[in-house]
Amino acid sequence: MSSLSYNPLVSVVMSIHNAPLDMLKHSIACILNQTVKDIEFIIVDDRNSIEVQEYLRKICQKDTRTHVIQNSKNIGLTKSLLKGIKHARGRYIARQDIDDISKPTRLEKQVEYFEACKSVVLLGTWYEVIDEQGVVTKKSSPNQNDLLQKDLYLRNPFCHASVMFRKSSYFEVGGYDLRYTTSQDLDLWFKLLRVGEIGIIEEFLVERQVRYGSITSR
């Protein structure tokens, strides 16, 4: 992984395993085409095809904001995210998954919100879920800290790949827990509640593609 000579505003972290190349291209493009340009894009290659690895190599050459960490063996999402965030230089950490498409202004609107609301440590967005038949389900929650906290005990109002959180707060609460191979996101949200408020942007800024066999579908 090559280094940057400055600290970017946002570090976008994505882990990929057995990634379909066409889907990966769309997911990477939506981040590199964000209206916020002061980013680094950390992609953890948790064992993928030679074709995918070659594509990642070319992307890194084309856009120096992109950096790839290659795992020597498949270690799973939680460990890969821990590794990726360990290398992150940004003030804010944003998540992205191969299944998801972030609208061009997603990161910009999240950064603006954080800059205006210093008490907020975790911020999601409204999102749309698109199943394999193309059926779209809209997921939305009111942007109220107390209601979002209550929602966490009933359902997870945050799409993992829509969130952004303060890196300082992430490390303050200990980050993702290695004990969880799934629901590692929900565990982190509860820990972040200890140090600040949570919020959600009331706009559909992320499209979530649900594939059979993905962590989301399981």
Side-chain angles (χ1 to χ4, degrees):
M1 174 178 170
S2 60
S3 62
L4 292 174
S5 58
Y6 68 97
N7 291 338
L9 184 62
V10 180
S11 296
V12 183
V13 180
M14 179 169 72
S15 172
I16 58 174
H17 171 62
N18 288 339
L21 184 56
D22 288 345
M23 186 176 287
L24 178 64
K25 288 180 178 179
H26 288 297
S27 186
I28 289 178
C30 78
I31 293 300
L32 297 181
N33 292 326
Q34 289 286 304
T35 53
V36 168
K37 303 301 181 185
D38 188 14
I39 68 171
E40 64 175 351
F41 192 6
I42 299 173
I43 302 172
V44 182
D45 176 6
D46 193 26
R47 306 315 296 163
N48 289 272
S49 67
I50 297 297
E51 184 182 28
V52 165
Q53 292 178 4
E54 179 62 18
Y55 173 73
L56 293 176
R57 185 185 65 81
K58 291 179 179 178
I59 286 293
C60 290
Q61 291 176 340
K62 183 178 180 180
D63 194 320
T64 57
R65 298 175 300 169
T66 305
H67 311 280
V68 174
I69 300 173
Q70 285 193 323
N71 293 340
S72 59
K73 62 179 181 179
N74 175 243
I75 63 174
L77 178 61
T78 306
K79 290 182 179 180
S80 293
L81 291 179
L82 285 165
K83 182 182 287 190
I85 295 174
K86 181 179 179 181
H87 286 85
R89 297 169 177 245
R91 185 186 313 166
Y92 305 110
I93 305 295
R95 282 280 289 112
Q96 175 73 14
D97 282 331
I98 187 177
D99 313 83
D100 307 299
I101 299 296
S102 294
K103 301 296 177 63
T105 58
R106 175 204 156 187
L107 298 183
E108 178 183 359
K109 292 185 176 183
Q110 288 183 300
V111 168
E112 288 176 350
Y113 192 106
F114 271 124
E115 295 293 314
C117 302
K118 302 297 185 182
S119 60
V120 172
V121 295
L122 170 69
L123 182 64
T125 76
W126 288 356
Y127 63 101
E128 297 171 312
V129 178
I130 305 174
D131 68 17
E132 291 183 312
Q133 286 71 47
V135 177
V136 178
T137 304
K138 294 182 180 293
K139 301 287 187 176
S140 60
S141 299
N143 182 31
Q144 297 181 42
N145 175 61
D146 56 340
L147 293 180
L148 288 171
Q149 290 196 30
K150 291 178 182 178
D151 263 0
L152 285 175
Y153 290 94
L154 303 173
R155 64 184 183 91
N156 187 350
F158 297 102
C159 169
H160 197 177
S162 79
V163 300
M164 181 182 287
F165 44 84
R166 298 183 190 274
K167 184 174 69 175
S168 58
S169 300
Y170 169 87
F171 283 111
E172 182 179 353
V173 301
Y176 290 105
D177 192 322
L178 280 173
R179 293 176 297 176
Y180 297 99
T181 56
T182 62
S183 299
Q184 64 282 106
D185 54 337
L186 187 59
D187 172 71
L188 178 60
W189 309 163
F190 276 113
K191 290 193 292 188
L192 286 170
L193 291 180
R194 305 172 190 165
V195 296
E197 297 181 355
I198 58 179
I200 201 160
I201 294 180
E202 295 179 325
E203 293 183 51
F204 293 100
L205 297 176
V206 169
E207 293 180 359
R208 159 123 279 198
Q209 308 280 339
V210 176
R211 295 180 293 136
Y212 176 75
S214 68
I215 289 178
T216 299
S217 65
R218 293 199 303 270

